[in-house]
Amino acid sequence: MGIKAALPRYELYLYRVVLVGALIWAGSWILEASSESVNRKAFKESVKPGWHYFGRKMDVADFEWMMWFSTFRNHILFALAGHVIFAKIFTLIAPKHRSLIFGVYGGLAVLVTMGWTFMALVLSHCIILYSVALVKSKWLSFAAGLATLASIKLEPYNSWQESLVTGSFDLQDILFYGGCGFSIMRCMSFALENCEKKDGNYTFCDLLKYNFYLPFFFFGPIMTFDKYHVQANNTQLTRKEREMWNITTKALLHLGGILVVDVFFHYLYILTIPTDLKLVSKLSDWCLAGLAYSNLVYDWVKAAMMFGVINTVSTLDHLDPPQPPKCITKLYVFAETHFDRGINDWLCKYVYDFIGGDHDKIFKELLATICTFAITTLWLGPCQLVYIWSFFNCFGLNFELWVAKFFSLPPFSTIEGAMGEAMSRRIRGVFNAANFWAIVLYNVLALNSLEFAKLVGRRLIFKGFPLSTLSVLLVTYCGVQVVKESERQQALLEEPEPVKPEDGGKEKAE
């Protein structure tokens, strides 16, 4: 109830005005804090000279962003451009073997970049999980896959394997863990899909072609084997109308997004400020709320830009890759919260939906979420911060179901049925606003630090009550209603048109 409920236009206009005004207000506080603190000693390592024509220093605290779009930008572009050219030439020459060409180019690129010891290690993982896949047991495939994943995430096994492929350049350790981690997840997908194959088995060559597709190899996203195998082996390579125009437009939008983020980093030090708790403790409640929110928005933008670049390349290869994650601004339920759609799709397909079914049963949902977050914890690397993040997000996902079940019982369901849809939407919006900040606080601790998340929580919930607490919730409520209106309009567009009765009524009557 409530998705199709329309609110008055003036009310929605008021919500938009309040939301925009609050974002500008919070941004001005962050801008002031950034400008006044640029020369702080704590900022020395993460605030460096930026573009000379801005005349300001730039926030460079995020190594991953700087690696992709500054430090190693040319190396990444060279590798991806080589893949595009190589793949295009051989797709035209031998379209039936293009998946093999993808795998050969990717394997050679990995070999040249990381060396033969890393290649041997990845191949050993492939051989082990392929051998298990031949048994066609899902539980055995899961056990072998998780054990292999644990070998690169837990001591002393990860240090021993990493020592085999030590190198001299800065990206070596990142490429090691990224390459091995995503490779194991792809091998698990292959093994689980092989269990579903009724006649015979997929070949080891199928696994290698899937695993060594270069755009996905080191950084993802993960595309499950069943989808990749069908799309990569499709020989009917046609483009939809205006598809190349759309690909070009998206590529330009990604380039524009990258430039906009770099410009913002010259004025808003949203990544560096949370690391200086002495400074953070002196900031206003609005500034803290803006910092917490902007950090999640930035993480979404980063994922959208990184995966956007990779997805552009894979779309040129006639693949339909996992899309970037849903914007944090549009997330007001835990069930839709994720920052990597590829991993999310993988977990939903093989764990969450497999165990949870229709996600309507409390105990099945609890088991499904515990298993999902247990695997996610192993994927991220077990540590105290990840344990806390997993616990709270697992709790949030289950708590949503418990609350929904509770309010679906009489007399609450009767009361909601008696009120109008618009009022129901407003009441649900209040709960969604509180839920939004639970999502922010539960996830900002993983993006920044536990101390920063605790400080924001104390200020907004306890010390700032009632003025800061209620004002932030009011603004969030306005944002939720704006998002709900967008979803309502999208649902109406996707709704099939009613079938018009044929003009044969009169004839039939006659």
Side-chain angles (χ1 to χ4, degrees):
M1 187 175 184
I3 186 64
K4 294 184 179 180
L7 298 180
R9 287 188 177 182
Y10 71 86
E11 185 177 338
L12 291 169
Y13 178 76
L14 179 63
Y15 290 153
R16 292 187 179 99
V17 170
V18 171
L19 180 62
V20 172
L23 290 175
I24 294 174
W25 177 250
S28 66
W29 279 101
I30 300 174
L31 176 62
E32 182 180 349
S34 301
S35 300
E36 292 179 353
S37 309
V38 65
N39 293 318
R40 287 178 68 90
K41 189 176 180 180
F43 284 23
K44 187 177 180 181
E45 295 298 322
S46 56
V47 177
K48 301 287 186 180
W51 300 353
H52 69 277
Y53 33 81
F54 278 118
R56 292 179 61 94
K57 291 185 177 180
M58 178 182 179
D59 192 339
V60 295
D62 189 351
F63 172 80
E64 195 172 22
W65 178 271
M66 299 307 296
M67 172 194 75
W68 262 86
F69 305 116
S70 180
T71 316
F72 292 93
R73 175 187 58 209
N74 294 337
H75 299 79
I76 294 171
L77 286 176
F78 178 78
L80 293 179
H83 168 87
V84 171
I85 296 170
F86 196 73
K88 187 62 178 177
I89 293 173
F90 282 90
T91 297
L92 293 173
I93 297 174
K96 291 183 178 180
H97 304 291
R98 68 192 192 98
S99 62
L100 177 62
I101 301 303
F102 294 162
V104 170
Y105 178 85
L108 291 174
V110 171
L111 180 63
V112 171
T113 304
M114 299 294 290
W116 68 269
T117 51
F118 177 81
M119 177 64 80
L121 180 63
V122 172
L123 287 175
S124 68
H125 294 158
C126 293
I127 292 171
I128 291 171
L129 293 175
Y130 178 76
S131 301
V132 174
L134 297 178
V135 181
K136 291 203 169 188
S137 168
K138 284 190 175 182
W139 294 110
L140 188 60
S141 296
F142 250 115
L146 294 178
T148 309
L149 184 62
S151 72
I152 66 163
K153 297 291 184 178
L154 302 176
E155 291 288 356
Y157 312 105
N158 61 336
S159 296
W160 173 74
Q161 291 185 80
E162 188 180 6
S163 67
L164 298 175
V165 290
T166 52
S168 58
F169 64 99
D170 295 339
L171 273 185
Q172 193 88 20
D173 58 337
I174 293 176
L175 296 183
F176 168 79
Y177 286 108
C180 285
F182 281 111
S183 176
I184 292 168
M185 297 295 276
R186 283 189 291 268
C187 289
M188 288 178 68
S189 176
F190 173 88
L192 293 168
E193 293 299 332
N194 193 65
C195 294
E196 296 290 335
K197 187 175 173 61
K198 295 180 180 179
D199 302 323
N201 299 285
Y202 293 109
T203 66
F204 186 63
C205 185
D206 290 330
L207 172 58
L208 296 182
K209 289 186 291 185
Y210 165 57
N211 191 41
F212 284 99
Y213 179 68
L214 184 62
F216 296 163
F217 186 82
F218 288 111
F219 304 109
I222 291 178
M223 189 175 182
T224 54
F225 176 76
D226 56 327
K227 294 180 180 178
Y228 180 85
H229 185 68
V230 171
Q231 295 176 25
N233 289 287
N234 178 27
T235 57
Q236 305 299 319
L237 305 178
T238 58
R239 296 283 184 194
K240 297 178 182 177
E241 186 179 354
R242 296 177 63 84
E243 184 175 353
M244 285 305 300
W245 170 260
N246 292 333
I247 293 173
T248 305
T249 303
K250 287 182 180 180
L252 292 175
L253 286 174
H254 293 140
L255 177 60
I258 293 166
L259 294 175
V260 168
V261 171
D262 274 352
V263 170
F264 268 87
F265 276 159
H266 286 80
Y267 295 93
L268 305 175
Y269 302 155
I270 59 172
L271 304 179
T272 296
I273 291 176
T275 62
D276 188 351
L277 294 180
K278 288 184 179 180
L279 171 62
V280 170
S281 63
K282 299 175 184 177
L283 300 178
S284 68
D285 294 346
W286 274 99
C287 189
L288 286 181
L291 281 171
Y293 168 73
S294 59
N295 268 262
L296 264 73
V297 171
Y298 163 71
D299 196 67
W300 167 76
V301 171
K302 180 176 70 173
M305 295 302 105
M306 289 170 54
F307 291 140
V309 172
I310 293 173
N311 287 358
T312 299
V313 175
S314 57
T315 305
L316 290 172
D317 292 332
H318 296 269
L319 300 180
D320 183 19
Q323 296 304 302
K326 190 175 182 179
C327 180
I328 180 63
T329 305
K330 296 183 177 182
L331 296 177
Y332 49 83
V333 291
F334 278 91
E336 297 181 2
T337 304
H338 59 269
F339 295 94
D340 183 336
R341 197 181 293 269
I343 290 290
N344 183 74
D345 291 348
W346 192 100
L347 289 168
C348 286
K349 180 178 176 65
Y350 299 122
V351 185
Y352 185 57
D353 292 339
F354 179 75
I355 298 174
D358 58 3
H359 306 291
D360 194 47
K361 308 295 183 184
I362 289 178
F363 291 107
K364 285 184 70 176
E365 179 72 1
L366 180 62
L367 178 61
T369 51
I370 289 174
C371 292
T372 300
F373 279 101
I375 295 174
T376 305
T377 300
L378 182 61
W379 164 252
L380 294 174
C383 65
Q384 182 186 19
L385 195 62
V386 174
Y387 294 146
I388 296 171
W389 175 87
S390 292
F391 171 79
F392 279 113
N393 280 274
C394 183
F395 169 77
L397 196 56
N398 283 279
F399 188 69
E400 280 182 348
L401 178 61
W402 302 340
V403 171
K405 286 285 187 183
F406 179 75
F407 282 100
S408 66
L409 300 173
F412 303 108
S413 59
T414 307
I415 294 172
E416 185 178 20
M419 68 176 63
E421 286 192 346
M423 182 56 67
S424 173
R425 170 174 160 175
R426 294 186 185 101
I427 294 173
R428 286 172 178 265
V430 174
F431 288 97
N432 293 145
N435 208 38
F436 177 87
W437 275 100
I439 293 172
V440 171
L441 292 176
Y442 291 174
N443 286 279
V444 79
L445 64 89
L447 298 177
N448 289 114
S449 66
L450 179 60
E451 290 73 20
F452 176 69
K454 287 163 64 177
L455 194 151
V456 174
R458 282 197 300 267
R459 289 281 289 276
L460 294 184
I461 299 173
F462 300 108
K463 291 185 178 181
F465 187 84
L467 184 60
S468 296
T469 307
L470 296 180
S471 59
V472 169
L473 282 177
L474 174 63
V475 172
T476 308
Y477 170 82
C478 294
V480 168
Q481 292 297 355
V482 171
V483 172
K484 281 179 175 286
E485 181 62 20
S486 173
E487 292 176 345
R488 185 187 74 86
Q489 293 179 1
Q490 186 63 34
L492 293 176
L493 288 174
E494 295 175 356
E495 200 173 63
E497 294 184 6
V499 179
K500 295 181 180 180
E502 295 182 3
D503 296 332
K506 289 184 179 180
E507 296 175 6
K508 202 170 184 178
E510 290 172 359

